[in-house]
Amino acid sequence: MKKYFISGAMLAGLMSLAACSNDEGVVADNNGAEQQFTITLASSGDRATRAAADRTLESEAAGQSIEKVTLVVRSQDDNKVVYIHTLDNWNDTATDYDTNGHGKKLTFTIPKADKLGAGSYVVTAVGYNEGNYTLSLPNKGDVVDKNITATTPTGAEAKEVFAGEQKFNVTADKKIEGTDASKAIQSVDVALHRQVAGAYGYFTSIPAKIGETEVVSIRMVSRSKNTVLTFGSFNSSFTTTDANVMYMVNGSVPATKTAKFLNGEEANVLFSAKIADWFPGGDENNDGVYDKKDTNWTTPYTTGSYLKGSVFASNFIVPFSATQGKSTLELQLLDATGNVLYAWPVKLDASNDQISKTGETASADLFGAGTAMGFAETADVFSLFRNHIYSIGIHKQGTTNPDKTDPGTDEPTDLSKIQNVVIRVNDNWEALHHMSIDE
């Protein structure tokens, strides 16, 4: 799982840019230890690479592609913002912090004249790419009572975004409380975690026709879909997968319904794929399925690796709560006019840890507690939680042999058998969930 750490040392460095020695919360000091904030982006399990401004969800790998980190510091006493700054060009200016390229870091030092004075503070940081969200960031001097939010542009899909916060105290002699007073640099750390969910489908042997009608596309639809993220109720306690996992929905404001379930009930599209993008010219050998026997198979992606004869689709998702008494997801095959030809109800695997858990919704109020949903998660009625990835099929890092399935690592789901399809939640994220589809 990928994490960011912002140390108190970094905050100090950022504050040097503000030159705000006469502002509340900042005092002149020409002696003593340096205050710094070091932003560290740690990714667990893979090198964080990017070919464009945004990474797409191509596997369960814990990659990242943020460009900006906005830092907000406020007083704990009155929630007044004493500092705000945006760091640009994260990906270009941050340096690798280990030899395997598993993370990046930036360190800033605040001039002694601009140190934070004695008091209790909260630092909140958000990592994102410009244009992906409209952020509700405060201004310096504002007294805030709400958590920061991020809104997806109208009609746009969610993109990856990270956030976290940490309380810290500064003593009368400008030391960061709880650190080694003998050190020349003192810091406080805050971990930034992924704020979106993820969902993907990885398929092979897709029926070419249902009856006499050609299958043109495949998609996953959901009971709900949200457009606004709330950065609150952070899970600062976990450091490894499946340790202190939270079942938190930090999404709100439903999106407009754009699809329907097979039974006609309204739905939203989570992800979709056109068959022609993977099999130009259709079912080449006329055997009734799209698979590796069709030599016209190709991949529309410029990055990533996929098994020959497969189809892949994915998206990042603003988390949403289950609708009590209503199944959450459905996998569909569609014709050229968008009619649903066939559909499978999608469910969590019976052994999934999410089943029987009671989820929470994040509070919009600053430091507000999460609210329990009021019903337990089931195999059919389940939420998509923050920092959990939900998958049908297995695509961990991509295949090293496109001619051969690699069970447990690169394993698309065979749809010709019309059997169960499994949803999973990955160990590079906060949790790994299994879903299945029923005939």
Side-chain angles (χ1 to χ4, degrees):
M1 143 109 238
K2 164 191 342 313
K3 296 182 279 284
Y4 291 88
F5 300 95
I6 297 186
S7 73
M10 180 191 86
L11 178 58
L14 293 174
M15 315 221 23
S16 67
L17 303 175
C20 52
S21 59
N22 295 321
D23 293 326
E24 180 180 351
V26 181
V27 297
D29 177 36
N30 294 317
N31 298 295
E34 291 182 340
Q35 296 174 344
Q36 285 188 343
F37 285 91
T38 299
I39 301 181
T40 305
L41 166 62
S43 85
S44 169
D46 77 319
R47 174 179 288 274
T49 58
R50 58 187 282 277
D54 292 304
R55 84 173 183 115
T56 55
L57 182 63
E58 296 176 356
S59 71
E60 298 172 2
Q64 62 81 31
S65 66
I66 65 164
E67 286 287 0
K68 296 178 180 290
V69 174
T70 291
L71 198 82
V72 177
V73 182
R74 66 182 185 274
S75 168
Q76 289 188 46
D77 295 330
D78 56 8
N79 290 324
K80 185 175 183 178
V81 177
V82 299
Y83 186 76
I84 183 168
H85 184 74
T86 296
L87 303 171
D88 295 312
N89 301 320
W90 163 271
N91 229 33
D92 295 329
T93 57
T95 58
D96 289 346
Y97 73 82
D98 74 9
T99 56
N100 295 318
H102 289 317
K104 291 181 178 293
K105 68 178 181 180
L106 282 172
T107 301
F108 299 88
T109 302
I110 184 171
K112 292 177 181 178
D114 293 329
K115 283 186 180 180
L116 282 171
S120 298
Y121 302 94
V122 182
V123 53
T124 304
V126 181
Y128 61 99
N129 281 348
E130 187 112 44
N132 288 349
Y133 294 94
T134 300
L135 296 175
S136 65
L137 294 169
N139 296 308
K140 185 178 177 181
D142 288 351
V143 176
V144 296
D145 61 358
K146 301 293 183 183
N147 286 311
I148 295 171
T149 62
T151 303
T152 56
T154 302
E157 298 294 341
K159 300 290 186 180
E160 210 165 29
V161 62
F162 301 84
E165 69 182 19
Q166 182 63 53
K167 297 179 181 179
F168 65 99
N169 297 322
V170 176
T171 63
D173 56 354
K174 293 83 175 178
K175 301 293 180 64
I176 305 295
E177 193 172 89
T179 61
D180 186 345
S182 67
K183 289 188 176 180
I185 296 175
Q186 298 181 338
S187 61
V188 59
D189 294 334
V190 57
L192 274 69
H193 300 292
R194 187 181 286 103
Q195 297 297 299
V196 291
Y200 74 78
Y202 190 31
F203 312 106
T204 192
S205 298
I206 301 168
K209 292 182 178 181
I210 300 297
E212 297 300 316
T213 305
E214 183 179 357
V215 173
V216 171
S217 62
I218 185 169
R219 73 182 183 187
M220 178 87 82
V221 298
S222 61
R223 187 72 52 182
S224 303
K225 191 174 185 179
N226 283 329
T227 62
V228 177
L229 289 159
T230 295
F231 300 146
S233 300
F234 293 108
N235 188 0
S236 300
S237 60
F238 85 94
T239 56
T240 59
T241 302
D242 297 327
N244 303 309
V245 172
M246 287 180 68
Y247 296 90
M248 179 65 64
V249 168
N250 61 331
S252 61
V253 185
T256 301
K257 303 291 186 182
T258 57
K260 291 184 182 296
F261 285 88
L262 182 62
N263 65 6
E265 294 179 347
E266 291 190 325
N268 296 101
V269 178
L270 285 195
F271 59 72
S272 64
K274 295 180 180 178
I275 301 299
D277 290 341
W278 297 81
F279 296 89
D283 179 18
E284 185 185 46
N285 63 355
N286 295 313
D287 66 351
V289 294
Y290 295 106
D291 62 12
K292 65 181 180 181
K293 296 177 184 177
D294 295 300
T295 59
N296 62 337
W297 179 86
T298 186
T299 171
Y301 291 98
T302 57
T303 58
S305 56
Y306 303 90
L307 190 73
K308 288 181 180 178
S310 66
V311 170
F312 183 87
S314 66
N315 262 324
F316 292 109
I317 310 294
V318 175
F320 60 85
S321 301
T323 301
Q324 191 170 13
K326 298 283 189 177
S327 59
T328 299
L329 300 179
E330 186 174 87
L331 184 68
Q332 301 177 336
L333 301 178
L334 284 74
D335 67 12
T337 61
N339 292 319
V340 180
L341 299 175
Y342 196 93
W344 297 267
V346 177
K347 65 180 185 180
L348 293 174
D349 184 81
S351 63
N352 196 284
D353 289 341
Q354 182 167 325
I355 295 175
S356 80
K357 295 293 191 302
T358 299
E360 295 183 55
T361 56
S363 173
D365 295 331
L366 206 62
F367 299 124
T371 302
M373 291 180 186
F375 58 91
E377 302 280 304
T378 71
D380 302 296
V381 182
F382 56 94
S383 309
L384 266 65
F385 291 118
R386 175 185 66 194
N387 207 14
H388 292 216
I389 185 168
Y390 298 79
S391 68
I392 295 179
I394 302 172
H395 196 248
K396 286 191 173 180
Q397 297 280 356
T399 180
T400 57
N401 183 354
D403 293 306
K404 185 178 180 181
T405 298
D406 185 2
T409 298
D410 190 89
E411 190 174 5
T413 291
D414 186 334
L415 292 184
S416 67
K417 298 176 181 179
I418 317 297
Q419 293 178 340
N420 289 338
V421 179
V422 176
I423 279 194
R424 309 166 59 249
V425 179
N426 180 268
D427 59 356
N428 278 331
W429 294 52
E430 188 171 348
L432 170 62
H433 298 298
H434 294 258
M435 297 191 298
S436 63
I437 57 175
D438 285 340
E439 185 175 359

